[in-house]
Amino acid sequence: MIPTLPLGTDGPQLPALGLGCMGMSEFYGETDDAQSLAVLARAHELGVRMFDTADMYGNGHNEELLARFLKEGGRDAFIATKFGVRRAPGEYARSIDNSPDYIRQACDASLRRLGRERIDLYYVHRIEAGRPIEEAMGALADLVRAGKIAHIGLSEVSADTLRRAHAVHPVAAVQSEYSLTTRDMEAEVMPACRELGVAFVAYSPLGRGLLSGALDGESLDKDDARRNFPRFAGNALDANLARIDRLRAIATKYDATPSQIALAWVLAKGVFAIPGTKRVTYLEQNMAATDVHLTADDLAELDRAYAPGSFTGDRYTAEGMKGIEA
Ligand SMILES: NC(=O)c1ccc[n+]([C@@H]2O[C@H](COP(=O)([O-])OP(=O)(O)OC[C@H]3O[C@@H](n4cnc5c(N)ncnc54)[C@H](OP(=O)(O)O)[C@@H]3O)[C@@H](O)[C@H]2O)c1
């Protein structure tokens, strides 16, 4: 059984382990729609309800893929999508747009691609520098009133932006990168979420695969976006992979995989996690992480061994850092 958590103060109670769908369309090498649809169906069968996408994943492809899954049986799935990152098809370069006009257009386009009348959770994917968050929240609150979105989320925001946004309209969830490789959110954002009753959703909970112990420089496709990320480049990747030994040792004690321990650690923090995968085998392994209950000693050992800031290299390139506040 996947444990459940409330999505903010007025949202539904949802299974804490969701599914990240990004890699099914872009960024992490080859994709295969038939295989991805099988992963989506199996996830639903195993009790996953939160499916995470964004309009820019594969330039709309990811939302259209989810629409196929929703039609084929995933009708009670809880769909979270995002707007705000504008990219030309196939280009990593982006601009950030949180203007009310663009929000309305982007929402209609996502609804059309998803084939739904309402988006369950609509996130501001990145924050536009120089534009007050109050403006975007006003437009999003209008979309709630119009019945086009049920809940509002923010991604990669500072605690200050969260507080300002929440004062305009309740924010249901903050989604930011969080894993043993990336613990920046523990300082201010996660405490602010707890204080305000906002759910925290950990994206890239496996450190984009680093914590699986199954990835190395050779296994990444030529066009895998991670090749350009500082943490995955050259010497930094070797240094980071060398740090997985402690995780492996703890995994052995539980007869588990490093990924399962990494996920069990995130879940033990009382937050949602949305690991991404294109494979049924990985999905099933990740779901079984809910059966791994780490002892207080092992949690403390992981906290110590993977202290904040202990991995080498930034998590994104300068382009990818656009609109990231926290
Ligand atoms: N809000 C944002 O700005 C933002 C940014 C990034 C991601 N996200 C969301 O978060 C989701 C998850 O993040 P992510 O996909 O970046 O990173 P992740 O979940 O940390 O890691 C995904 C990687 O780990 C591999 N993997 C998954 N399970 C595994 C297992 N059991 N054993 C070995 N390898 C395993 C996957 O391989 P395969 O692909 O080969 O299955 C993939 O390469 C995304 O899908 C997206 O929905 C949001």
Side-chain angles (χ1 to χ4, degrees):
M1 261 307 261
I2 314 178
T4 62
L5 288 172
L7 190 92
T9 46
D10 60 355
Q13 190 80 15
L14 288 168
L17 208 50
L19 180 66
C21 304
M22 179 181 80
M24 296 176 182
S25 296
E26 210 187 349
F27 299 122
Y28 295 168
E30 276 185 16
T31 63
D32 175 330
D33 286 357
Q35 193 178 310
S36 296
L37 286 167
V39 173
L40 290 163
R42 182 70 179 131
H44 187 260
E45 199 173 87
L46 291 173
V48 170
R49 286 297 173 270
M50 184 189 279
F51 292 84
D52 189 82
T53 180
D55 57 1
M56 70 97 154
Y57 297 163
N59 192 35
H61 173 269
N62 207 241
E63 289 182 329
E64 284 165 359
L65 185 73
L66 275 175
R68 289 171 64 188
F69 150 70
L70 295 173
K71 254 203 205 141
E72 286 167 19
R75 284 190 182 78
D76 61 347
F78 182 93
I79 302 296
T81 191
K82 322 183 189 79
F83 74 90
V85 179
R86 303 184 75 162
R87 295 164 52 217
E91 297 290 325
Y92 191 74
R94 74 258 325 264
S95 62
I96 311 301
D97 193 342
N98 293 173
S99 63
D101 270 354
Y102 178 66
I103 294 175
R104 287 187 283 271
Q105 274 172 44
C107 178
D108 285 342
S110 285
L111 285 168
R112 214 168 30 246
R113 283 190 292 266
L114 288 165
R116 282 208 155 178
E117 285 176 9
R118 196 170 68 156
I119 293 166
D120 297 311
L121 173 59
Y122 200 37
Y123 287 105
V124 184
H125 204 164
R126 292 288 183 270
I127 299 297
E128 183 183 341
R131 187 183 292 278
I133 188 64
E134 288 79 1
E135 243 185 71
M137 288 302 289
L140 290 165
D142 287 344
L143 291 176
V144 173
R145 282 187 285 273
K148 292 188 176 187
I149 67 176
H151 301 284
I152 301 173
L154 302 172
S155 175
E156 292 284 3
V157 289
S158 66
D160 181 52
T161 297
L162 168 61
R163 286 180 204 286
R164 284 173 45 197
H166 198 70
V168 177
H169 185 281
V171 173
V174 166
Q175 176 179 141
S176 288
E177 184 165 354
Y178 185 60
S179 74
L180 286 167
T181 68
T182 309
R183 296 177 57 190
D184 319 346
M185 301 301 140
E186 288 177 6
E188 292 180 6
V189 175
M190 290 168 82
C193 285
R194 279 194 292 275
E195 178 198 320
L196 300 171
V198 173
F200 184 85
V201 178
Y203 84 67
S204 301
L206 298 171
R208 301 179 185 271
L210 261 183
L211 297 166
S212 70
L215 175 154
D216 59 33
E218 309 280 286
S219 61
L220 296 179
D221 281 3
K222 277 194 315 303
D223 61 346
D224 193 306
R226 287 171 292 194
R227 284 184 176 275
N228 299 318
F229 291 179
R231 262 183 206 171
F232 288 83
N235 294 343
L237 181 61
D238 294 339
N240 290 331
L241 288 175
R243 305 203 65 248
I244 308 304
D245 286 356
R246 199 62 217 116
L247 188 60
R248 277 190 219 281
I250 293 182
T252 307
K253 267 185 25 186
Y254 287 82
D255 200 15
T257 65
S259 302
Q260 288 171 331
I261 300 299
L263 290 174
W265 178 86
V266 172
L267 293 175
K269 302 287 177 182
V271 301
F272 288 91
I274 47 166
T277 183
K278 301 181 282 197
R279 305 163 206 236
V280 171
T281 47
Y282 286 174
L283 169 84
E284 289 176 346
Q285 253 183 44
N286 296 346
M287 290 301 127
T290 57
D291 298 328
V292 176
H293 302 288
L294 296 167
T295 64
D297 282 352
D298 286 329
L299 281 169
E301 162 73 8
L302 287 163
D303 280 340
R304 262 193 315 274
Y306 300 102
S310 58
F311 278 78
T312 302
D314 289 337
R315 53 200 183 100
Y316 285 108
T317 57
E319 190 63 28
M321 285 303 284
K322 277 187 184 166
I324 289 188
E325 290 191 322

